[in-house]
Structure formats: structure tokens, C-alpha cells
Amino acid sequence: MTDTYAVVVVGGGAAGLSAALVLGRARQRTLVVDAGEPRNAPAAHMQGYLSRDGMPPAEFLAVGREEIARYGVELVRDRVVEVERGEDFTVALAGGRSVRARRLVVATGLRDELPEVAGIAERFGRDVLHCPFCHGWEVRDQPFGVLATSPASVHQALMVSQWSKDVRFFLHTVAEEELSDEDLRRLAAAGVDVVPGEVAELVVEDDRLTGVRLAGGPSGGGTTHARSVLFVAPRAVPQTGLLERLGAELRETPFGAYPVVDATGLTSVPGVWAAGNAIGFAEQVVHAASGGYRAASAIVGDLLMSDLDAAVRNQSSP
């Protein structure tokens, strides 16, 4: 049998749970389908969310799940494998269940692909970091390293210099000639040391980062630079497969292709909203929660007007 919901929310992170909370409080029968793979799982804490500053991400999600349950929202640990568009949406889950929904919220986020340097994946979210706004305060004034993955990494090196005045910019696979004169002048003005040579591995002692080791050769020589924090820029991979199969219009950005949405998160597909990192690379937890709220409130109004218009048509028919 196929269950029918007003809304199915795909993704149970900050955006999805926020949307579900608003929908539940608006008395809309809602199902959240969560694969249980939050992007910020490696982090021990999240920062910059007023009243939740320093809260572990797992605890944040657990509280959110408890809150939506108070309003009758259902949550299932599963994955959406297909959606068919008709008068409503038919949503097929990996576990074999099939449900119907009048509206969809896609909050599937993105996946981080880390640079292939020995030690980075194991330390990511601990002393290998990405966002200084998320973790900069906690590691302030320590010796920083920044791993270049493209000339655009200069921006990251300049930004993190706000949290430490001991910053070394490891060019890694980027040639110094690829940096503009303006880049070099700004790095010098910020006091950032530019280190040529490819990074071979991280040095870890007693379960903490102690250094960045360069590969051997004329430029590197296998030297080790004492660092206790390394900032990297993962390659963002948007999880837009479901939106693509629904025919949503995407826009190319320097960080991948994301759906074109209006101010509420409505995509080019009628009845389908997107929120959180499903719409952009820079959506922090607080932004994602806000986006879920906006999408849900728009959906409540959309469903109401749809039902009222249908009632008017029925009254007008002979």
C-alpha cells in the first residue's frame, strides 16, 4: 500500500528538520527520509548558531528529531531512490516502501571530496579544518598551514590570517607562477609565508597534528614544517541527483551545479523546494535551518491556496 503525505522531506539535516518542524506545527502530514550521512559528522562541535554555539552536531540532530516527533512528523532512516511526477509525487525508498506526496523538500546537501594527501581524511574535522568561521576561534593563535588546491586557495590563506599570525601557505600542486602579483602582495601584507613544493603527508604524534611534510626533490627536500592546524578546501559535490531526475534547472557555479531557486527555495519543478547545502556550497547550519523554515512556510501557503482553488472550481462546476 502507498501512504499519502502532504510533504515528503528528503534529508534529515538542519534544513530538512527545520522544514519538518514548521510543517508539523502547521498540521501537515509530513515524512522525513534521512539516510543518516550528515556532512558535518566529522566535527566535534558546531559554531556560530545563536543559542547552540559549541553544540555537537549529533546532539543538535537528536534534539531536532525529538522536536518534530512532538508534532506527529514521521522520520524513517532510508534513502529515496526514485521519484515519479504525476498529479502527486510517488516516492520510492531503498527499503522497498513507496509513498505519495503533494509537495517535496529536497535537503540532500553535498559531499566533501578531500585532497589526496596522507593523513588528511583521518584528521578532517579535528585539526584538519575547512571553515575558519566554524573552527577558527577554537584553534586561534596556533601555527596554521593552508593547503593550496588551486590559485583560489589564496583567499582561504588570507581569511585564516584573521585567527593566527603564523600562517604558511603550502602551494602543493599549484605553481607559484599561477599566483597573480596581487595575490602575492596580499599574502605578504597578511604575513603569510608561501611554501613551494608538494605536500607528501601529515605528521601526527600522540593523536594530534604536529607537522606538514613535503615530498622530496629540489623544491621540497622532504622538509617538515611544524604546524598544529591545517586548513584545506574540499571539493564540494552537490547531491543533486534527485533534482536532476525531476528535471530541475541547474546553474553552474565555481563549486558545482546547484538548482535555480526563488527566495523560498522553490525550484523550476512545480511542487519541489530545495534547502540547505542542496542549493549552495556556503550554507552553514544556521542558514540551512533558515532555508528549511522559508521553504516550509511557503509550502503551507501553497497547499492552502491549491485546496481553496480546487474548492472554488468544484462550487462553480454545474
Side-chain angles (χ1 to χ4, degrees):
M1 295 183 63
T2 302
D3 295 325
T4 299
Y5 294 86
V7 185
V8 167
V9 179
V10 187
L17 291 177
S18 181
L21 180 63
V22 174
L23 291 164
R25 287 176 54 81
R27 309 181 75 177
Q28 302 294 329
R29 190 179 186 218
T30 302
L31 174 69
V32 177
V33 183
D34 182 28
E37 300 171 351
R39 181 190 178 200
N40 62 357
H45 48 77
M46 62 182 204
Q47 253 56 58
Y49 194 137
L50 189 63
S51 82
R52 296 294 180 267
D53 190 62
M55 191 176 195
E59 182 181 340
F60 176 81
L61 294 179
V63 171
R65 294 180 191 122
E66 291 175 2
E67 289 179 348
I68 66 171
R70 297 175 197 164
Y71 301 101
V73 174
E74 299 174 50
L75 185 146
V76 60
R77 183 58 58 85
D78 210 329
R79 188 183 303 274
V80 173
V81 292
E82 196 54 75
V83 176
E84 293 183 4
R85 291 176 61 193
E87 184 177 347
D88 292 328
F89 298 95
T90 302
V91 182
L93 308 186
R97 186 180 176 190
S98 180
V99 300
R100 291 172 66 88
R102 297 179 64 191
R103 303 292 186 269
L104 293 179
V105 176
V106 178
T108 45
L110 58 82
R111 175 171 51 85
D112 289 316
E113 285 188 356
L114 295 168
E116 294 185 0
V117 173
I120 282 183
E122 294 80 3
R123 309 300 304 177
F124 189 58
R126 302 168 68 185
D127 37 31
V128 174
L129 306 171
H130 166 238
C131 172
F133 292 101
C134 302
H135 304 288
W137 174 264
E138 285 66 38
V139 296
R140 64 193 183 280
D141 298 326
Q142 296 184 39
F144 287 2
V146 178
L147 183 74
T149 51
S150 77
S153 295
V154 169
H155 178 73
Q156 188 178 39
L158 295 173
M159 288 297 295
V160 303
S161 70
Q162 297 294 302
W163 284 267
S164 173
K165 295 308 177 186
D166 183 0
V167 180
R168 293 183 188 173
F169 184 43
F170 296 98
L171 292 183
H172 191 41
T173 55
V174 176
E176 190 166 358
E177 303 81 61
E178 295 181 66
L179 305 185
S180 69
D181 290 341
E182 183 180 50
D183 288 337
L184 294 172
R185 286 194 295 269
R186 283 178 170 173
L187 289 166
V192 176
D193 294 329
V194 177
V195 181
E198 187 171 352
V199 172
E201 62 181 352
L202 305 188
V203 180
V204 178
E205 299 174 3
D206 297 326
D207 196 30
R208 63 186 182 88
L209 177 66
T210 60
V212 174
R213 182 171 294 143
L214 301 183
S219 60
T223 56
T224 298
H225 294 255
R227 301 286 93 183
S228 56
V229 178
L230 181 68
F231 282 90
V232 302
R235 176 176 174 265
V237 182
Q239 308 278 59
T240 54
L242 180 60
L243 291 167
E244 290 179 41
R245 293 195 295 276
L246 284 166
E249 180 184 354
L250 303 181
R251 58 184 174 86
E252 289 293 336
T253 78
F255 306 104
Y258 292 91
V260 175
V261 296
D262 71 4
T264 70
L266 177 63
T267 71
S268 61
V269 181
V272 179
W273 274 257
N277 282 131
I279 68 168
F281 170 74
E283 298 295 295
Q284 304 287 7
V285 177
V286 65
H287 302 130
S290 175
Y293 192 109
R294 285 195 303 270
S297 57
I299 289 171
V300 171
D302 184 55
L303 288 170
L304 173 63
M305 296 308 168
S306 177
D307 290 342
L308 292 176
D309 289 346
V312 170
R313 287 194 298 271
N314 290 336
Q315 292 173 353
S316 301
S317 59

